[in-house]
Amino acid sequence: MHHLIPLLVAVPLLGAALLVATGRFLPRIAAEITGVVVSGGTAALAVVLLLNSEPPMVEWVGGWLPVGGESVGILVVGDGPALGMATLVSLLTLSALAYSWRYFDEPPTGHTGAFTALMLVFQGAMCGFAIAGDLFNAFVFFELMSVVAYALTGYRIDEAKAVQGALTFGVVNSLGAYAMLMGIALLYARTGELAMTKIGRGLDATGHSGPDALVLASFVLVLTGLLVKAAAVPFHFWLPDAHAVAPTPVCMLLSGVMVELGAYGVWRVYGTVFAGPGGIPAADLTRALVTLGTLTAAVGAVMCWYQRHIKRLLAYSTVAHTGLFLVGLGVLTPEGDDGVALYIIGHAGVKAALFACAGVLLDRFGSVDEHALHGRARRLRATAVMFAVGALGLAGLPPFGTALGKAVTEEAVGGPLTVVFVAASAITAGAVLRVTARVFLGLGPRPEDAEYETSGSDEEPETSGLLSRIPDTMTTVPAVLLAAALAVGVVPGFGDLVAASVNEAGSGGAHVSVHWTLHGVLLGVASTVLAVALAGLAVTRPAWVSAPGWAAPLRRLQSGHVGDYVAWLLMGATVLGALALPGVLGS
Amino acid sequence: MADALIVVVLLLVAASATAAVAQRDPARQALVLSFLGTLLAALFTVLQAPDVGLSQLAVGSALTPLLIMLCVRKIRRRGRSKEDAR
Amino acid sequence: MNRLRLWLLAVGGAGLAALLVAACLDLPGFGGRHHPYGDRAVQASLARHTANTISSVNFDQRAYDTLGEMSILFAAVLGCVVLLRQARDEHRAPPEPAEVARPVRRYALLVLPVALVTGLYVVAHGQLSPGGGFQGGVVAATALHLLYLGADYGALERVRPLGVYETSDAVAVCAYLVLGLASVLAGTAFLANTLLPYGTFNTLSSGGAVPLLNAAVGMEVASAVVVLLAHFLDQAVEIEEEHGS
Amino acid sequence: MSTVMHVLPYLVAAYVFLTGCYGLATSRNLVHAVGCLAVCQCATYVLLLAVGYRDGATAPVFSDIAPGSRPVVDPVVQALTLTDIVVGATVTALLLALVLQIAKRHGTVDPDELRELRG
């Protein structure tokens, strides 16, 4: 069985290569069917492997089994979290491909399957990153997924915003990747190994007296790369610019899983490389991740509230939620890991569904602007219901999977950090509900335009002309995704299953049971009530919750200037180093 | 002897990297990058990495600068034809 | 705003610089002897009769990395094809034949075959001497573009049917994957180099699957670079925007 | 000499990386910025190969030396650098393609004049 793990990468890549090789002769429908079949087949393979991941599997690609504990090959891991992420990636790619069925008006001449092929490569790259057990191999697939993502983000070359967002995305993420590679080189210099577990053991063997500057620098550099992908403050600036302009099916993948893979990478790399006595002490990691995560959640939530461009609003809500994931992972408890895993699964379904609904608006009205669309989408009842349900899922209304994940994570972090969870989910959900009320119901007065903001009107639809009727695929897919997000919380035993496989792979091996608690349900309901209240207030008394003066500088930071973002990246690396410094000085 | 050579090439690499950043005109920057690519190829050969040196020579000193030049040419041509149209 | 960026740059750059310098001082000295993975790789390469250890690492021990790298190139080419496609408001204008000085033309036409052969030679001897699919592929593809200097753009376009190169790019990726999958079908690990005999050390056919994977990469790199350059040349020379749009 | 020699290659790599970042942050032309990103990447090559170097060793190619007769430098970092070089070239190409489209759609390649996405 373990020989099949690398096929999660090979099958989508083969599908993509075949599509390009035959691209000139293939009718469009055949290309799209091939894409769905290959993507679905990979998803099925991922599910089968996931069901067999007890006990966790490992595979040495190329058959280079370790001799005397040493190998020259590349390690691929097949444990619960790795295969779980691969499954999530594959299922979401499948739904994005189904959603984009007959989507773009004109594929590039002679390259009928280009979009589908890029999506398949994206799927293979994300699967490859999820199952990587070798640090350099993780970098290679990190880079592959970035490269495909840049191309997909800039796919609509007629759009000025799209190409600008894609370039910002490209420059910032590439720089992050190079920082990560510098960190890998430093680790290789110290330990002479590349497999993550071997590096971890090498650090422990050489660092009897605790970590030194070399370990700290490599930690900072590797985490910079991963946190750029995870869009943690202050590495987050590229995300709204890119996610707001990418084609909708791509947004579903970017916000649904790619960003979360950054958080997953942090979990994997810290757990296997830096968690030992020669690595970074737990207290320092907790300080770094909880600080940055809280900041990320706060900035994401505030910025989300002030957006009028609906896709940009959703992108900021992804920033806020990634902050919550980082806080949950940062406390380094088995419950925290379980909660975040469930939260990521639920969030993927909800966020992808919300983007899918925003895509319906774009293709029906040629605009994703909350102000311009005020009251214009009254007829789209099904979309309206799904948008509202998605908002409630975002708020964490039980029994959504997001609510279960949030409740378990809140239990794990405890204390004042619970407030961050409730506030961030309530504000982002409130913003989405506000959009629902204004756009689909036409409630309240048309809001006034602000000075420093991105408008979402005058966008080109992604289909051939404006749609007069919404195709069934574009309503079925978000409905299925929302149902899946609901099932994560409702299906009995699912939470325990996820928790068991996460704990099996994570450190300690402590098995904890995951279930609904009264405390969690009450907090979930509280966030939802708060979200509804905020949305109601925004619609009826816009002046009360409009941007206060202190929010203006925060908005000005998001300047769209790539130089600013690079400067922030350097600043972020320094902050990360400062946050983790006490452990190095103390040893 | 080998050490002295390595030091010299390293310092040259650092200097030409500075020049590549300081040269704000992209067409000239492409030339500096090409020079930097050649220096790196030399450095890699001195560091006993002929494979890497060869590919750096092909990619760093030929392909990348060529792509930058083509890009600059397109942007300039575009600027000119826009002015003609006015 | 600009001042804020400079402050950030100064503080962030200084912090990162301090961190990096401190790390450099903790690194094992340059030229040290501790290379456990490297020593193992040399042994493994010799055991499989591959004279050039780097090729053995690239195409045998860490062939999975090379698959990822190949896919990056493949994806980037596909991305450039998509990004540099002719937009709705653009048209093609055949370029005027450019005047090239006669010595330049002669030189280019003379160097062209030499460079092409060198490229192919470098690809073919990848498992023996420095070089291999990447280096040779780039050299061969760049050499083809000397034709732009030596003759003119039209001549280049005639010997460069783009569709064929795009297809061969994809076919090469397929070939690499199929070679990898063959070993899974044979019941071993993905990309395992155990199906073919390892041959005699230091000959062209040594190293088992290494020469085949090397050739696939060479083909992929050569076609990919041709396609990349072609699309940039197209933009620089042929594609024009409609005026007044 | 020897202490300097022990860290100089690493310091040069760090310097090149930071110089590239500086150029990237202060660039007034996107083509130039992509060039600076290529400079940043050069730093990773230098660091990787410096890490794998061994005094008095030769290249790990055994077509003209007998195996075991001389020490060889670390082949793994060389393979990693090869991968890295190809990655760098493709990323540069893709980003340049995006810059071309920006030039067409925005009419400028000065990042200070791109004002579509903000707030």
Side-chain angles (χ1 to χ4, degrees):
Chain A
M1 185 56 91
H2 55 94
H3 285 329
L4 298 181
I5 302 174
L7 297 199
L8 290 173
V9 180
V11 171
L13 287 180
L14 189 62
L18 285 175
L19 269 180
V20 174
T22 56
R24 283 183 302 158
F25 319 105
L26 225 51
R28 177 169 172 174
I29 187 94
E32 284 178 356
I33 290 176
T34 316
V36 169
V37 168
V38 171
S39 173
T42 314
L45 177 66
V47 170
V48 170
L49 286 170
L50 182 60
L51 294 178
N52 285 290
S53 66
E54 192 80 22
M57 296 182 279
V58 290
E59 162 76 343
W60 292 91
V61 183
W64 290 96
L65 293 174
V67 180
E70 313 275 0
S71 172
V72 291
I74 295 176
L75 177 68
V76 163
V77 289
D79 56 11
L83 293 172
M85 281 314 268
T87 310
L88 187 65
V89 164
S90 301
L91 290 176
L92 215 57
T93 313
L94 184 63
S95 40
L97 281 174
Y99 178 83
S100 61
W101 188 261
R102 320 273 318 148
Y103 199 59
F104 294 101
D105 51 347
E106 46 183 71
T109 340
H111 301 91
T112 322
F115 179 75
T116 317
L118 280 172
M119 291 289 269
L120 286 178
V121 178
F122 199 25
Q123 178 186 10
M126 289 193 286
C127 286
F129 182 74
I131 61 175
D134 180 287
L135 207 48
F136 187 77
N137 191 241
F139 164 78
V140 168
F141 282 105
F142 183 92
E143 205 45 60
L144 177 59
M145 99 185 154
S146 308
V147 164
V148 192
Y150 313 152
L152 282 170
T153 304
Y155 187 85
R156 292 184 296 152
I157 52 168
D158 301 330
E159 287 273 326
K161 284 179 196 159
V163 285
Q164 188 193 342
L167 184 79
T168 311
F169 181 18
V171 170
V172 175
N173 272 260
S174 299
L175 191 61
Y178 299 157
M180 184 173 162
L181 186 58
M182 297 278 279
I184 295 173
L186 293 181
L187 286 172
Y188 185 81
R190 168 58 61 81
T191 61
E193 299 290 346
L194 286 171
M196 290 189 205
T197 44
K198 298 282 291 182
I199 298 178
R201 256 175 258 147
L203 287 182
D204 297 346
T206 50
H208 297 297
S209 53
D212 56 7
L214 177 79
V215 178
L216 178 68
S218 53
F219 170 78
V220 167
L221 289 169
V222 171
L223 248 69
T224 298
L226 293 169
L227 288 178
V228 165
K229 191 59 75 182
V233 168
F235 307 108
H236 72 288
F237 293 99
W238 62 272
L239 185 141
D241 289 1
H243 289 209
V245 298
T248 309
V250 180
C251 287
M252 293 165 67
L253 287 181
L254 291 180
S255 264
V257 282
M258 191 192 77
V259 171
E260 285 72 9
L261 275 174
Y264 163 82
V266 170
W267 175 81
R268 172 75 69 189
V269 167
Y270 182 76
T272 46
V273 176
F274 292 107
I280 298 293
D284 293 294
L285 182 88
T286 304
R287 186 183 317 110
L289 282 193
V290 170
T291 312
L292 289 185
T294 310
L295 267 177
T296 310
V299 170
V302 170
M303 292 294 286
C304 173
W305 182 257
Y306 294 125
Q307 296 305 310
R308 56 188 278 195
H309 186 298
I310 296 173
K311 282 165 83 175
R312 209 169 158 87
L313 182 149
L314 292 174
Y316 273 114
S317 106
T318 304
V319 174
H321 280 88
T322 330
L324 300 183
F325 301 153
L326 289 176
V327 173
L329 294 174
V331 295
L332 290 175
T333 60
E335 292 87 355
D337 294 348
D338 300 342
V340 170
L342 282 167
Y343 207 169
I344 285 179
I345 300 172
H347 175 265
V350 169
K351 188 54 60 70
L354 284 171
F355 267 112
C357 294
V360 171
L361 288 176
L362 176 59
D363 296 331
R364 179 74 178 74
F365 301 106
S367 167
V368 282
D369 189 72
E370 184 185 347
H371 299 184
L373 286 177
H374 190 262
R376 278 175 65 193
R378 286 201 179 89
R379 292 255 192 95
L380 296 177
R381 295 218 184 82
T383 312
V385 169
M386 286 190 291
F387 213 68
V389 171
L392 297 177
L394 214 52
L397 176 71
F400 272 101
T402 44
L404 179 58
K406 183 158 86 82
V408 176
T409 321
E410 279 165 349
E411 201 99 345
V413 298
L417 285 175
T418 314
V419 180
V420 177
F421 277 76
V422 173
S425 54
I427 294 174
T428 53
V432 179
L433 280 174
R434 184 193 73 200
V435 171
T436 320
R438 283 189 184 149
V439 171
F440 293 100
L441 301 176
L443 297 180
R446 189 177 186 281
E448 284 168 21
D449 296 352
E451 184 194 348
Y452 199 86
E453 62 186 3
T454 302
S455 140
S457 37
D458 304 325
E459 300 244 339
E460 291 274 324
E462 292 161 355
T463 45
S464 42
L466 294 176
L467 294 176
S468 50
R469 192 188 146 271
I470 304 301
D472 290 338
T473 45
M474 289 175 77
T475 39
T476 316
V477 168
V480 170
L481 286 170
L482 285 174
L486 197 63
V488 170
V490 174
V491 172
F494 185 82
D496 271 332
L497 199 68
V498 171
S501 72
V502 169
N503 293 334
E504 175 98 36
S507 49
H511 281 266
V512 287
S513 160
V514 166
H515 47 80
W516 291 100
T517 56
L518 182 64
H519 179 246
V521 170
L522 285 180
L523 283 177
V525 173
S527 323
T528 316
V529 170
L530 203 57
V532 174
L534 274 172
L537 210 57
V539 172
T540 50
R541 298 275 183 280
W544 290 12
V545 286
S546 66
W550 57 264
L554 195 59
R555 305 193 68 171
R556 256 169 225 292
L557 290 184
Q558 185 79 36
S559 59
H561 191 295
V562 74
D564 285 346
Y565 298 176
V566 169
W568 276 111
L569 189 147
L570 294 180
M571 191 65 199
T574 302
V575 168
L576 198 58
L579 286 171
L581 190 60
V584 178
L585 291 181
S587 65
Chain B
M1 182 55 211
D3 277 5
L5 192 61
I6 293 176
V7 170
V8 170
V9 184
L10 274 173
L11 293 178
L12 281 175
V13 164
S16 58
T18 316
V21 166
Q23 179 53 261
R24 300 272 157 176
D25 175 44
R28 293 210 191 110
Q29 190 203 25
L31 289 179
V32 182
L33 277 179
S34 165
F35 181 64
L36 173 64
T38 317
L39 273 179
L40 282 171
L43 174 68
F44 299 164
T45 314
V46 176
L47 290 179
Q48 300 297 329
D51 279 85
V52 187
L54 196 56
S55 67
Q56 175 64 23
L57 198 63
V59 170
S61 57
L63 187 61
T64 309
L66 188 59
L67 288 177
I68 294 183
M69 293 284 223
L70 286 173
C71 192
V72 170
R73 176 169 167 178
K74 167 74 181 177
I75 292 169
R76 293 230 171 108
R77 196 172 71 110
R78 202 188 151 277
R80 265 207 309 278
S81 70
K82 276 272 138 80
E83 265 161 38
D84 292 349
R86 257 177 229 150
Chain C
M1 208 61 214
N2 224 347
R3 187 178 296 163
L4 173 68
R5 190 191 322 152
L6 287 180
W7 271 109
L8 285 173
L9 195 60
V11 177
L16 193 58
L19 195 63
L20 286 176
V21 169
C24 288
L25 296 178
D26 278 345
L27 275 172
F30 175 71
R33 308 193 163 279
H34 179 66
H35 299 288
Y37 194 166
D39 295 339
R40 294 203 303 271
V42 170
Q43 293 311 318
S45 157
L46 293 175
R48 293 212 167 161
H49 302 195
T50 313
N52 184 355
T53 314
I54 293 132
S55 287
S56 172
V57 175
N58 260 330
F59 299 113
D60 189 353
Q61 303 168 33
R62 297 183 69 86
Y64 184 55
D65 270 350
T66 306
L67 170 67
E69 174 201 351
M70 232 185 151
S71 314
I72 294 179
L73 190 54
F74 172 71
V77 169
L78 193 55
C80 280
V81 168
V82 167
L83 291 177
L84 296 179
R85 66 182 186 259
Q86 198 174 339
R88 278 174 220 153
D89 52 356
E90 289 171 340
H91 66 95
R92 278 171 185 277
E96 296 142 28
E99 281 301 313
V100 182
R102 191 167 281 257
V104 175
R105 176 162 293 200
R106 275 210 200 111
Y107 169 76
L109 287 179
L110 204 69
V111 172
L112 173 69
V114 178
L116 260 183
V117 171
T118 312
L120 295 179
Y121 178 88
V122 170
V123 174
H125 287 71
Q127 72 276 25
L128 303 181
S129 55
F134 305 114
Q135 299 92 335
V138 178
V139 171
T142 318
L144 204 57
H145 283 80
L146 281 173
L147 210 56
Y148 178 53
L149 272 185
D152 62 3
Y153 194 67
L156 180 62
E157 283 199 321
R158 276 194 296 281
V159 301
R160 196 200 58 190
L162 255 194
V164 173
Y165 285 99
E166 279 166 11
T167 310
S168 79
D169 178 32
V171 167
V173 176
C174 285
Y176 197 100
L177 284 163
V178 167
L179 279 170
L181 291 172
S183 49
V184 177
L185 290 180
T188 54
F190 182 62
L191 280 170
N193 179 13
T194 46
L195 300 183
L196 296 170
Y198 297 134
T200 315
F201 188 77
N202 218 353
T203 58
L204 266 187
S205 59
S206 59
V210 169
L212 295 179
L213 293 179
N214 183 27
V217 169
M219 179 170 156
E220 206 253 336
V221 172
S223 349
V225 172
V226 168
V227 177
L228 268 185
L229 280 173
H231 276 91
F232 274 89
L233 264 177
D234 247 18
Q235 288 285 335
V237 178
E238 264 196 298
I239 291 188
E240 291 203 344
E241 281 159 82
E242 311 279 350
H243 291 303
S245 60
Chain D
M1 179 70 190
S2 74
T3 34
V4 175
M5 195 57 215
H6 274 163
V7 291
L8 182 73
Y10 309 135
L11 290 177
V12 167
Y15 170 79
V16 172
F17 187 78
L18 289 168
T19 310
C21 288
Y22 168 79
L24 204 49
T26 56
S27 179
R28 299 291 308 274
N29 182 318
L30 289 174
V31 182
H32 174 261
V34 175
C36 291
L37 195 64
V39 171
C40 279
Q41 185 152 33
C42 291
T44 62
Y45 314 153
V46 175
L47 183 62
L48 275 171
L49 287 181
V51 161
Y53 185 69
R54 183 188 297 216
D55 279 330
T58 179
V61 180
F62 296 99
S63 48
D64 44 7
I65 57 167
S69 61
R70 286 186 65 184
V72 293
V73 298
D74 191 335
V76 177
V77 288
Q78 299 196 7
L80 304 188
T81 316
L82 266 181
T83 306
D84 194 18
I85 287 177
V86 177
V87 170
T90 55
V91 169
T92 310
L94 202 57
L95 293 182
L96 284 175
L98 284 167
V99 173
L100 269 186
Q101 293 299 344
I102 289 183
K104 285 184 201 165
R105 302 297 152 196
H106 293 261
T108 174
V109 285
D110 184 348
D112 292 336
E113 292 173 15
L114 301 178
R115 281 284 173 257
E116 287 267 340
L117 293 167
R118 54 187 196 173

